Amino acid sequence: YRSAFQPRLGPASPWLAEWRKAARGDKDAAARIGRAHQRGDGEIAADNNRYEGWMQYAAALGNGIASYELAVHYRRQGQPQPAAQFEARSKELGYTPPPTLDNVRK
């Protein structure tokens, strides 16, 4: 949404530079903003919806790691379809996910 690119931050906030980079298409800046929304970082409030949106934007810009993180997020929420979609996207982008253990070895 357009409001995602209008942050409510102070004029001296270090996050303003990240927003500008992300608005210009920097995939890594978009992922950093997404992670900040996930954990709540200083001036950025924790917001799960904003986290998903920023990570989807980062994945669309070509960030394979962000795409995989989003796949893990959806898997934890019990949403297998978007999880599979973003995991496949991460592989398309050249990211090799860490190996997982099957249910026998857990």
Side-chain angles (χ1 to χ4, degrees):
Y1 293 106
R2 185 177 189 177
S3 65
F5 291 99
Q6 298 170 342
R8 296 183 184 121
L9 301 171
S13 174
W15 285 104
L16 286 177
E18 292 295 310
W19 250 270
R20 287 186 192 103
K21 289 178 190 176
R24 291 186 177 110
D26 186 328
K27 63 185 180 183
D28 298 323
R32 285 189 294 270
I33 293 170
R35 289 183 197 108
H37 277 294
Q38 182 184 33
R39 65 182 180 268
D41 192 346
E43 294 178 271
I44 299 175
D47 185 340
N48 203 35
N49 291 328
R50 294 277 178 159
Y51 165 72
E52 286 183 35
W54 277 103
M55 296 307 268
Q56 288 174 358
Y57 180 57
L61 291 174
N63 189 319
I65 297 169
S67 184
Y68 182 74
E69 288 178 24
L70 201 52
V72 171
H73 171 74
Y74 285 129
R75 201 176 308 139
R76 287 181 182 149
Q77 289 192 339
Q79 298 179 21
Q81 185 176 10
Q85 179 184 9
F86 281 101
E87 187 169 2
R89 174 83 173 133
S90 72
K91 291 177 184 176
E92 287 173 11
L93 294 170
Y95 180 70
T96 305
T100 57
L101 299 175
D102 59 17
N103 62 353
V104 176
R105 292 181 264 172
K106 285 186 181 178

